[in-house]
Amino acid sequence: MSSHPENRFRRLWSAPAARGLLTAAGIAVVVAGLGWLGYAWNASRLPDTYDVMDYGRLDYGGGAVPAGHHGHPGGHAISVATLRGPQAGKPDKTFTLTAKTAKVRLASGARVDALTFNGQTPGPELRVRQGDLVQVILRNKDVEEGVSIHWHGVDVPNGEDGVSGVTQDAVLPGGRHVYRFRVEQAGTFWYHTHQDAAEEVERGLFGPLVIEPRRGLPHGTQDLALIAHDFEGIEAINSSDRVEHRVVAAGTPVRLRLINSDNTAQRLTLAGTSFRVVAIDGTDLNRPTPLKGVWLRLAGGGRYDVAFTMPEKPVEISIPETEAALALSPDGKGDLPAASPGKDFDPARYGAPAATPFDASSHFDRNFRFDIGRKPGFLDGRPGYQWTVNGGIYPDVPVFVVQRGDLVRVSISNHTSAVHPMHLHGHHVLVLSRNGAAMSGSPWWADTLDIAPGEHYEVAFRADNPGLWMDHCHNLRHAAAGLTMHVAYAGVTTPFRVGSTAHNRPE
Ligand code: C2O
Ligand code: CU
């Protein structure tokens, strides 16, 4: 054979019949490609209503497959509707929160077209005592899309978790829903709507929830909850976008409960005194030491409690590069101390180690992988560069199946260039390691953990609160764009449905 393959190819190419064939093949490839795109588009579309448990890949974390569990086990199925708090008994504290639209004025005079609880944002501070039976009556006056309330960081029974379409139906205008739960934790929490959360939380449907310890606060404590929030691009502390002054006598014990309701991390500085970080995400730290000139970087949804004794001179807590600040001083005025730039506070090496119910050397019943990535594809029919969990685009994400009593380890890796504040409902996780390094300070229990680009965390929790629990990014825009999945206890089902016909859109 004298002809070279290349020449043969040229000859083919020049033959009109072959050219026609090639054109046909090209068209076939394009058609097949379009067909695939059409298929991918169509396959990504979610039905008008669906059960969140009908989707996702069941992932048992290498543990035993619970008997009879196929997503919808028959026999002894438990509905989330039965996993409620105590329905009988006189509540120790009752609150009514009415969701309504309102124009809110910030301290600067700026007006915000807000969604509010009781006409204000943040909503009223709910202050209760550890052990209290709390009852909250939620009403919706005129928030068209509906509302719900999630108790962020409070490990309530699943039926009180406030996730529309999973644990309840959204409360539509004119409607009402009653939450009842006993609070066993003490610390700083917050509440927010979990219906259309990305939009509604941003617009103001949130507030602080403080659970004082059973024994009460040290006598005379000035105890303040401060929520950092971005209102239409204006950063504020408790809706004040200016310096707010407060009189606090020298010698007073002060506890500031810092809450970040934003999608992204927020830095706060505390100038004029040394201080201790005494709690993270509603859990006290062991033997916190005094800090100075350290910046507090709060994850979106996260909380830090700081404590100090009021000095003779003013103290200022502020959000750098904004005008939002709170100034405390014995006379209500005085020159404000300048915040010096510092390093970010690092919980991984702060305080002293203490015994924990389990640790990195424990035997884990289940080991899950949670890889956050990105790829081009369709999300509910919309093309884009989508978030992925373990390679899949929502709803093709894992469902972590656990059984009551399991000790569970989750390895979270962030392969994207964005920060993701990961939030697990209904449980607190113990941080075991970060980027392979063990923790060297106080036990660090979190419910909202910032995972920076390239970071890798190992966390663990005890599966002790049966239900269907959201596990999602608290950058709520990311959650709405698919960065959300569930931890499901085997045998638990939901009668509620997500989707437009059901008016339930938790994200
Ligand atoms: Cu603070 Cu699922 O949310
Ligand atoms: Cu995210």
Side-chain angles (χ1 to χ4, degrees), residues 263 372 387 418-422 472-479 483:
N263 283 329
I372 305 167
W387 302 113
V419 175
H420 302 289
M422 298 310 297
H472 64 93
C473 180
H474 221 283
N475 180 325
L476 297 172
R477 293 193 182 188
H478 293 177
L483 196 35

Short mmCIF file of all heavy atoms in Angstrom, two decimals, residues 263 372 387 418-422 472-479 483, ligand 2:
data_model
loop_
_atom_site.label_atom_id
_atom_site.label_comp_id
_atom_site.label_asym_id
_atom_site.label_seq_id
_atom_site.Cartn_x
_atom_site.Cartn_y
_atom_site.Cartn_z
N ASN A 263 -24.78 36.93 54.58
CA ASN A 263 -24.39 35.76 53.79
C ASN A 263 -22.90 35.49 53.88
O ASN A 263 -22.45 34.36 53.74
CB ASN A 263 -24.76 35.97 52.33
CG ASN A 263 -26.24 35.76 52.10
OD1 ASN A 263 -26.87 34.95 52.77
ND2 ASN A 263 -26.80 36.49 51.15
N ILE A 372 -17.32 20.11 48.28
CA ILE A 372 -18.00 21.23 47.64
C ILE A 372 -17.22 21.59 46.38
O ILE A 372 -16.02 21.85 46.44
CB ILE A 372 -18.07 22.44 48.57
CG1 ILE A 372 -18.71 22.05 49.91
CG2 ILE A 372 -18.83 23.59 47.92
CD1 ILE A 372 -18.54 23.09 51.00
N TRP A 387 -23.06 24.93 41.79
CA TRP A 387 -22.41 24.30 42.94
C TRP A 387 -22.64 22.80 42.86
O TRP A 387 -23.70 22.38 42.39
CB TRP A 387 -23.01 24.83 44.25
CG TRP A 387 -22.90 26.31 44.40
CD1 TRP A 387 -23.93 27.21 44.41
CD2 TRP A 387 -21.69 27.07 44.55
NE1 TRP A 387 -23.42 28.49 44.55
CE2 TRP A 387 -22.06 28.43 44.64
CE3 TRP A 387 -20.34 26.75 44.62
CZ2 TRP A 387 -21.12 29.46 44.79
CZ3 TRP A 387 -19.41 27.77 44.77
CH2 TRP A 387 -19.81 29.10 44.85
N ALA A 418 -14.82 30.16 46.65
CA ALA A 418 -15.68 30.95 47.55
C ALA A 418 -15.65 30.35 48.95
O ALA A 418 -15.37 29.18 49.12
CB ALA A 418 -17.11 30.96 47.03
N VAL A 419 -15.95 31.19 49.96
CA VAL A 419 -16.06 30.72 51.33
C VAL A 419 -17.47 30.17 51.53
O VAL A 419 -18.44 30.76 51.05
CB VAL A 419 -15.81 31.88 52.32
CG1 VAL A 419 -16.03 31.44 53.76
CG2 VAL A 419 -14.41 32.44 52.14
N HIS A 420 -17.59 29.05 52.23
CA HIS A 420 -18.91 28.48 52.49
C HIS A 420 -19.13 28.26 53.98
O HIS A 420 -18.48 27.40 54.57
CB HIS A 420 -19.09 27.16 51.74
CG HIS A 420 -18.90 27.31 50.27
ND1 HIS A 420 -19.82 27.96 49.47
CD2 HIS A 420 -17.90 26.93 49.45
CE1 HIS A 420 -19.39 27.96 48.22
NE2 HIS A 420 -18.23 27.34 48.18
N PRO A 421 -20.02 29.03 54.60
CA PRO A 421 -20.36 28.80 56.01
C PRO A 421 -21.36 27.65 56.12
O PRO A 421 -22.55 27.84 55.93
CB PRO A 421 -20.97 30.14 56.44
CG PRO A 421 -21.51 30.76 55.18
CD PRO A 421 -20.70 30.22 54.03
N MET A 422 -20.85 26.46 56.39
CA MET A 422 -21.72 25.28 56.37
C MET A 422 -22.48 25.14 57.69
O MET A 422 -21.91 25.22 58.76
CB MET A 422 -20.89 24.03 56.08
CG MET A 422 -20.21 24.05 54.71
SD MET A 422 -21.31 24.46 53.32
CE MET A 422 -22.45 23.07 53.37
N HIS A 472 -26.66 22.85 54.94
CA HIS A 472 -26.51 23.72 53.76
C HIS A 472 -25.54 24.86 54.02
O HIS A 472 -25.12 25.10 55.14
CB HIS A 472 -27.88 24.29 53.37
CG HIS A 472 -28.51 25.19 54.39
ND1 HIS A 472 -28.35 26.55 54.39
CD2 HIS A 472 -29.30 24.92 55.46
CE1 HIS A 472 -29.03 27.08 55.40
NE2 HIS A 472 -29.61 26.11 56.08
N CYS A 473 -25.23 25.54 52.93
CA CYS A 473 -24.37 26.70 53.04
C CYS A 473 -25.22 27.86 53.56
O CYS A 473 -26.33 28.08 53.08
CB CYS A 473 -23.78 27.05 51.68
SG CYS A 473 -22.71 28.50 51.78
N HIS A 474 -24.70 28.60 54.55
CA HIS A 474 -25.46 29.73 55.09
C HIS A 474 -25.18 31.02 54.35
O HIS A 474 -25.63 32.08 54.76
CB HIS A 474 -25.29 29.89 56.59
CG HIS A 474 -26.58 30.24 57.27
ND1 HIS A 474 -27.12 31.51 57.23
CD2 HIS A 474 -27.47 29.48 57.93
CE1 HIS A 474 -28.27 31.51 57.88
NE2 HIS A 474 -28.52 30.28 58.31
N ASN A 475 -24.41 30.92 53.27
CA ASN A 475 -24.50 32.01 52.31
C ASN A 475 -25.78 31.63 51.59
O ASN A 475 -25.81 30.72 50.75
CB ASN A 475 -23.32 32.04 51.35
CG ASN A 475 -23.45 33.18 50.37
OD1 ASN A 475 -24.57 33.52 49.97
ND2 ASN A 475 -22.34 33.77 49.99
N LEU A 476 -26.89 32.26 52.00
CA LEU A 476 -28.21 31.76 51.58
C LEU A 476 -28.40 31.85 50.07
O LEU A 476 -29.23 31.15 49.50
CB LEU A 476 -29.31 32.49 52.35
CG LEU A 476 -29.25 32.23 53.86
CD1 LEU A 476 -30.24 33.13 54.61
CD2 LEU A 476 -29.53 30.77 54.20
N ARG A 477 -27.60 32.71 49.43
CA ARG A 477 -27.69 32.74 47.96
C ARG A 477 -27.08 31.47 47.37
O ARG A 477 -27.56 30.97 46.36
CB ARG A 477 -26.97 33.97 47.42
CG ARG A 477 -27.69 35.23 47.83
CD ARG A 477 -27.20 36.41 47.04
NE ARG A 477 -27.87 37.61 47.50
CZ ARG A 477 -27.77 38.78 46.90
NH1 ARG A 477 -27.01 38.90 45.83
NH2 ARG A 477 -28.42 39.83 47.37
N HIS A 478 -26.04 30.98 48.02
CA HIS A 478 -25.47 29.70 47.56
C HIS A 478 -26.48 28.57 47.79
O HIS A 478 -26.64 27.68 46.96
CB HIS A 478 -24.18 29.37 48.31
CG HIS A 478 -23.04 30.29 48.02
ND1 HIS A 478 -21.82 30.17 48.64
CD2 HIS A 478 -22.93 31.34 47.16
CE1 HIS A 478 -21.01 31.11 48.17
NE2 HIS A 478 -21.66 31.83 47.29
N ALA A 479 -27.14 28.60 48.95
CA ALA A 479 -28.12 27.55 49.25
C ALA A 479 -29.23 27.57 48.21
O ALA A 479 -29.63 26.52 47.68
CB ALA A 479 -28.69 27.73 50.66
N LEU A 483 -26.66 24.72 46.92
CA LEU A 483 -25.68 24.17 47.87
C LEU A 483 -26.40 23.78 49.17
O LEU A 483 -26.27 24.43 50.21
CB LEU A 483 -24.55 25.19 48.13
CG LEU A 483 -23.28 24.67 48.77
CD1 LEU A 483 -22.93 23.25 48.33
CD2 LEU A 483 -22.13 25.58 48.47
CU CU B 2 -21.58 28.75 50.08
#
